[in-house]
Amino acid sequence: MNFLKKVWPYSFDTNNVSSLVVKTLLYVLLAVSFSILMGVLAKVAVLNVLFFIISPLIDLYVVVGLIVLYLNFFNIIK
């Protein structure tokens, strides 16, 4: 459990719905901002290859972070 708290620190300590919405928007904003950055810098060949490798990892981080956030909110994990 300590590993989850170190990797996804914003997914824990969600007490009410407003903090849940804010943290969900934080993860969505992370994914959107990285996608915009990837779209802007995709013209450079070296960065395009780098983004091709990193993009699925960022998407996985966001999805797992959201899953941990909702599991913590519904007290399935503590």
Side-chain angles (χ1 to χ4, degrees):
M1 192 53 120
N2 289 332
F3 174 74
L4 289 176
K5 288 183 180 181
K6 287 180 184 177
V7 177
W8 292 280
Y10 297 111
S11 294
F12 292 95
D13 300 327
T14 306
N15 300 333
N16 51 18
V17 176
S18 64
S19 65
L20 177 71
V21 170
V22 168
K23 290 179 182 184
T24 301
L25 289 175
L26 180 74
Y27 279 114
V28 170
L29 183 66
L30 173 70
V32 168
S33 62
F34 186 75
S35 297
I36 291 171
L37 179 69
M38 189 173 86
V40 169
L41 297 175
K43 302 290 186 209
V44 180
V46 175
L47 292 178
N48 193 11
V49 171
L50 185 66
F51 284 143
F52 182 74
I53 295 169
I54 293 176
S55 178
L57 297 176
I58 297 293
D59 292 340
L60 182 66
Y61 179 81
V62 169
V63 168
V64 172
L66 286 172
I67 290 170
V68 171
L69 174 69
Y70 283 102
L71 289 177
N72 184 29
F73 181 72
F74 291 118
N75 292 326
I76 296 172
I77 61 172
K78 296 181 184 200

